[in-house]
Amino acid sequence: MLFEKFTDVVPSFWGWLNQGPLTLTIFLHTIIILPMIWLYFKEKKRLNGK
């Protein structure tokens, strides 16, 4: 199961992300890698447009 109840001293966001094997990976891809891909194609289009 991707999401399980967990016990932490301080129930933090990172503790919630770290509970599953894929949770942190999916989060990082969404926050970091997808905008990088979008910026890459945007800048490539801008440079080739000149």
Side-chain angles (χ1 to χ4, degrees), residues 15-26:
W16 172 76
L17 278 180
N18 205 18
Q19 62 177 317
L22 281 178
T23 322
L24 192 61
T25 310
I26 293 169

Side-chain angles (χ1 to χ4, degrees), residues 18-45:
N18 205 18
Q19 62 177 317
L22 281 178
T23 322
L24 192 61
T25 310
I26 293 169
F27 173 75
L28 289 177
H29 274 74
T30 309
I31 296 301
I32 297 169
I33 295 171
L34 288 178
M36 281 175 69
I37 294 170
W38 177 72
L39 282 172
Y40 167 76
F41 283 111
K42 193 176 94 167
E43 289 298 309
K44 189 175 172 187
K45 183 176 160 190

